[in-house]
Each structure stands twice: as C-alpha cells, then as structure tokens.
Amino acid sequence: MRITRVLSGALLALGLAAGPAAADSSPSPSASQEGGAPTTAGTSFRTAAEVEQGQTAAASASTGDYLYWSFPADAGQRPTVRATVKLPDTHAAETWQIDVYDGLRRRQACQYGARTRTAAAGTSSVELTCVLRTVRAWSEPWGNDPLPGTYYVRLTVVDVPTSDLGLPVGAEVRVDSEDVGGSAAVDGSLAAPLVPGVAVKSQEDEETSSASAVLSSIEPDDGWASAWWSDRWVWTAIGGVLAALAGIGGYALTRGAGRPTRVPPGA
C-alpha cells in the first residue's frame, strides 16, 4: 500500500512538471492579421515576410530599419505595389523609398508611380507606389524582364537626420495585379518559376537525394501558369478564319461569270 502511494505521488509530480514543458514546446501562433496577412516584416531577402496579392501586410519598426516582404507574380500580371508609412508626431523631413526585386534579386524598374517621396516635418504619413512592367513567361538571358516567381519589396528611409533614427514608425504594404492577358504573351516559358530554393530542389531531384530544399510557400491562388496558353491563341484563330473568309470573298468577286457568251466556240 505504501509503495502504491509513493508511485502515485511520483507520477503526479511528473505530470505537473511535464505540463508546463509541453505548453512551452507548443508552436507559437504566427504573427498574422485576420485573413492571413503578416503583421511583421523581414530584415533581409531570406527573412522576407510572405504576403499574398490582395492582402494588406503591416509592421512596426524603427526609422532606419530595412523592411522586406515577398509576394508571387505570374506571367501576364502587372503588379502594383503600394506602401504607407505612418510617421511619429514630431519628426524632421524624411525621404522614404520602396524597391522591388525579382526572383533573381534584380531590381525592377517602375513603369510609373512615386517610389520615392519626401515627407515634410510633422507629416503624419507618406504613401509610395510602384507599378511594375508586365511579367513575361520567358526572356532572353541578357534581358532584365520581370519573370514569374517570387518578388521582394524593400521599404526603407534613404534620407533622414541622425536625430530621427530609431523613432517608431508603422508600415503597410499591399500588392494588387492587373491581368494584361495575351497582349503581353511571348513564345517560350521557364522550366520553373523563380522561387527561393527551386534550383536546389531540381539538383536534389536529379541526384535522388533525401534532403529537402526550403521552397517559397506562396504562389498564385490558381497555381503557376503553364505559359503556353493565352488568349492570344484565340485571337490568332479568329484572325485566321477572317483572313480565309476574306480570301474566298475576294475570289468570288474577281473570278467573273465564266466564259463570255459572244465568243465563238472555236476561238
């Protein structure tokens, strides 16, 4: 009986000790808003916070920090990146800037939009916009065209007095795309979208390695486009049918009624 009580007390003590440990080892919830948008930003390309198109990501930071987000963009899309920086009540004039990089970490030029803006002293917020070129399914090796895959957004202040460094700021980033369609389609396609780890994954598949690469977990809602089909094929087929009908109509109008009636049969 005494042995049974001792064992029961020991098991109870072990259970109480294991309870907090199990609670501590449970995964912490991800920092995200309702709807899955992140509430933190990365500090480099490798730690960029992943955000889907149509979501508004938010982050709290200090003036002088580099903030990074990543998002997917597919062929035929024209992404528009918008960023809003909420500044403290008192600050000097500051210049903020957003840069967008593709999956090869090449900075992509903005077609239009204010990617750099200066906030006057006391301004409560500053808004930045960058409209990228249309993402192409394929490009020449020497080209700098935007290609399907992961894109990175970097937000930082580029001109700020030393006295303002470290002041708290809030940032919001949103990415939306316009589907351009077949007017921007090109022949050819990439073997795989430019996402982090895809090259390592391909090499491991060839070597039948058991190791797994860290791939980007974001992609378009309907998956990556195959790049061989676009509405350009539809318009090409319609144009071919119209050209054939025009040829038949032209032949019918120009061939005449046949042999003239007044010409002798032996002529």
Side-chain angles (χ1 to χ4, degrees):
M1 188 69 178
R2 184 176 179 181
I3 296 176
T4 304
R5 291 179 179 177
V6 172
L7 291 176
S8 300
L11 292 174
L12 179 61
L14 289 174
L16 293 175
D24 294 341
S25 61
S26 60
S28 58
S30 59
S32 61
Q33 304 176 13
E34 184 178 357
T39 57
T40 58
T43 57
S44 66
F45 287 102
R46 295 179 61 87
T47 61
E50 297 180 351
V51 57
E52 295 285 352
Q53 293 192 25
Q55 293 180 338
T56 300
S60 298
S62 301
T63 303
D65 291 344
Y66 284 83
L67 306 179
Y68 287 82
W69 293 270
S70 63
F71 67 93
D74 206 355
Q77 293 183 340
R78 183 180 295 162
T80 299
V81 181
R82 295 182 177 88
T84 302
V85 183
K86 299 178 181 178
L87 304 173
D89 296 335
T90 57
H91 64 85
E94 302 176 357
T95 301
W96 289 80
Q97 178 175 300
I98 55 172
D99 297 298
V100 183
Y101 299 83
D102 64 5
L104 299 177
R105 298 186 184 180
R106 304 174 301 181
R107 190 176 71 83
Q108 292 295 320
C110 302
Q111 270 193 320
Y112 50 88
R115 59 180 289 266
T116 302
R117 272 189 173 176
T118 299
T123 304
S124 60
S125 64
V126 58
E127 297 183 356
L128 308 169
T129 305
C130 178
V131 180
L132 298 176
R133 294 174 295 167
T134 303
V135 179
R136 295 163 58 90
W138 179 82
S139 176
E140 295 287 349
W142 46 262
N144 193 35
D145 299 313
L147 298 172
T150 300
Y151 282 74
Y152 300 91
V153 179
R154 183 178 70 182
L155 173 65
T156 188
V157 62
V158 294
D159 186 12
V160 59
T162 306
S163 58
D164 282 2
L165 291 175
L167 292 179
V169 295
E172 292 184 352
V173 170
R174 182 181 178 89
V175 181
D176 296 289
S177 286
E178 177 186 357
D179 191 2
V180 177
S183 61
V186 295
D187 295 329
S189 62
L190 297 178
L194 300 176
V195 298
V198 66
V200 180
K201 185 66 174 179
S202 300
Q203 183 178 2
E204 289 173 352
D205 291 342
E206 294 175 359
E207 298 176 355
T208 64
S209 173
S210 59
S212 59
V214 179
L215 297 175
S216 175
S217 61
I218 55 176
E219 64 178 21
D221 294 335
D222 54 352
W224 298 104
S226 61
W228 70 270
W229 170 260
S230 68
D231 55 3
R232 185 180 64 169
W233 290 95
V234 177
W235 290 109
T236 301
I238 294 175
V241 172
L242 294 177
L245 293 176
I248 295 174
Y251 174 76
L253 292 174
T254 57
R255 74 185 183 93
R259 187 179 182 86
T261 57
R262 297 182 179 180
V263 176

